Amino acid sequence: PSGATAAMELALQNRKVAFIDREGRIKPCGGAVPPRLIRDFNIPDSQIVAKIKTARMISPTSRMVDIPIENGYVGMVERENFDEFLRNRASNKGAKRFTGTFLRVERTEETDIVSVFFKDKKSREEIELKSRFIIGADGARSDVARSQMPGGKSIPYVIAYHEIIEAPKGGIYDPDRCDVIYDGRISPDFYGWIFPHGKSASVGMGTGKNGFDLKEATAKIRESSGLDKCNTIRKEGAPIPLKPLDNWDNGKDLVLAGDAAGVVAPSSGEGIYYAMIGGQEAAYAVNECIKYKNPKFLKLARKRFMSEHKTVFRVLEAMQNAYYKSDDRRERFVSL
């Protein structure tokens, strides 16, 4: 979402832009998108596979608190379709699309032009693209960030695991309700979830603790929720970064966006909205660099993003640190 948004924004500014992405990979994700994303980024209703009207918080002692979504709903998307929609939209606006796997970046001292190398999916050949600027939007544990940015290898994250199942009909499952499970047996430092996706549902959890059995915890959620007999469509895992990097650019020709920059909200794990905002800000920063012929404007991406959202990130980080450390605190959190 971040890279496709950045590509579209630059194409709308009549910039010559290419974007490289792997095809066929479904990003493991709960798929929640707030109404502001749907509105601000003109997402058609056809992409919304479920409209969540209620969030249910479940404590370690099975206390349940239902919170109605005021003034509307939280939308749910299927990343397989949503990501492709965003890629196609960027391409239709003029961005040139390439499908392959990032390999490396090379520079020479004689020129400001930088080379990006990737392996083309169809030909399996190594292809070089020359550019003035690069936006690294290749997700958590970004290969671009790890190879190009100081500190890019040490970003903190949790591992999320979920199972996509066929949604049941009837029982305690509600296709209009998200269940969020705060229980140390499910996750010692994050939470578990049941997110409806229309005909399917995402059931999973996340943790930063090494050695914790993610599959066993997910099995417990399914069993306690009456979802253990539902057909499993696929199983997936992925890292979720939980802290924005202190620096998103190299001051010369590269800026990070989305998960690569670490912009997933602590406590909630919300990432799609912040990824798309991050892509928008990265595109703005690059466009300003081109306009004024000054790479120092790359810093605008982080500066503008954090000026708008840093308070939310700080509050959610404080909430996670305060309430996710023990079941006594989780119980208090749900009661609050």
Side-chain angles (χ1 to χ4, degrees):
S2 192
T5 300
M8 184 185 75
E9 294 287 336
L10 284 166
L12 290 172
Q13 295 296 322
N14 296 316
R15 300 302 180 189
K16 188 176 180 182
V17 55
F19 68 105
I20 307 162
D21 207 350
R22 287 183 289 175
E23 189 176 51
R25 174 179 178 267
I26 304 172
K27 167 68 186 295
C29 178
V33 294
R36 58 189 174 181
L37 181 152
I38 298 168
R39 179 183 64 248
D40 294 351
F41 291 97
N42 298 314
I43 304 303
D45 199 58
S46 59
Q47 287 296 319
I48 309 302
V49 296
K51 295 181 178 181
I52 302 303
K53 308 295 194 336
T54 305
R56 170 170 288 182
M57 300 173 68
I58 303 173
S59 78
T61 61
S62 299
R63 180 201 301 256
M64 298 181 185
V65 179
D66 286 357
I67 305 172
I69 307 299
E70 295 182 11
N71 303 318
Y73 61 90
V74 170
M76 305 301 291
V77 298
E78 287 282 11
R79 290 295 298 271
E80 179 179 14
N81 301 321
F82 183 68
D83 289 11
E84 184 64 13
F85 162 77
L86 294 176
R87 286 190 285 256
N88 283 333
R89 187 162 70 172
S91 180
N92 291 337
K93 296 299 182 182
K96 189 168 182 180
R97 179 177 178 178
F98 294 86
T99 304
T101 305
F102 168 78
L103 295 174
R104 66 187 183 279
V105 172
E106 291 184 2
R107 300 176 179 83
T108 62
E109 295 182 1
E110 296 77 23
T111 177
D112 289 334
I113 301 301
V114 60
S115 293
V116 178
F117 293 86
F118 71 97
K119 181 180 282 188
D120 183 73
K121 182 185 178 183
K122 289 185 178 179
S123 68
R124 309 305 298 169
E125 294 179 352
E126 186 174 294
I127 293 180
E128 176 186 8
L129 293 180
K130 294 181 180 292
S131 182
R132 180 64 188 86
F133 293 98
I134 300 169
I135 296 175
D138 54 331
R141 294 197 291 202
S142 156
D143 286 336
V144 174
R146 289 162 69 88
S147 66
Q148 300 296 312
M149 294 291 294
K153 295 182 179 180
S154 57
I155 185 169
Y157 60 87
V158 300
I159 293 295
Y161 170 80
H162 74 162
E163 298 178 359
I164 300 295
I165 64 171
E166 290 182 1
K169 296 179 181 178
I172 61 174
Y173 174 82
D174 185 340
D176 298 326
R177 186 190 72 223
C178 279
D179 290 2
V180 185
I181 304 145
Y182 299 98
D183 188 332
R185 293 165 296 183
I186 300 301
S187 172
D189 55 343
F190 205 54
Y191 63 80
W193 66 79
I194 302 170
F195 291 163
H197 284 189
K199 294 180 180 179
S200 64
S202 164
V203 183
M205 50 74 66
T207 181
K209 300 287 186 183
N210 291 329
F212 194 84
D213 194 325
L214 290 78
K215 293 183 178 180
E216 181 181 329
T218 301
K220 289 178 182 177
I221 299 173
R222 292 184 61 171
E223 183 178 2
S224 64
S225 304
L227 303 174
D228 50 325
K229 299 297 191 296
C230 296
N231 182 48
T232 302
I233 299 171
R234 63 180 187 270
K235 302 177 180 181
E236 304 165 325
I240 301 177
L242 290 181
K243 190 175 180 63
L245 289 175
D246 292 333
N247 190 22
W248 295 3
D249 72 277
N250 67 356
K252 183 179 180 182
D253 54 25
L254 183 144
V255 63
L256 302 175
D259 279 18
V263 291
V264 175
S267 181
S268 70
E270 181 180 350
I272 300 176
Y273 172 72
Y274 294 113
M276 294 179 73
I277 290 291
Q280 201 172 50
E281 296 294 3
Y284 176 86
V286 167
N287 194 53
E288 292 297 289
C289 289
I290 297 170
K291 188 189 302 183
Y292 296 106
K293 299 180 180 180
N294 189 342
K296 291 184 179 180
F297 283 104
L298 288 174
K299 295 200 177 298
L300 287 175
R302 189 181 192 280
K303 184 177 180 180
R304 283 165 54 96
F305 182 96
M306 296 305 287
S307 68
E308 184 70 24
H309 302 289
K310 67 180 178 182
T311 300
V312 171
F313 275 67
R314 286 177 179 173
V315 169
L316 291 177
E317 183 180 16
M319 184 187 301
Q320 182 170 340
N321 290 337
Y323 291 110
Y324 286 21
K325 291 186 175 180
S326 72
D327 277 351
D328 285 344
R329 293 189 179 191
R330 292 184 188 96
E331 196 71 40
R332 196 183 320 159
F333 180 53
V334 173
S335 66
L336 284 172

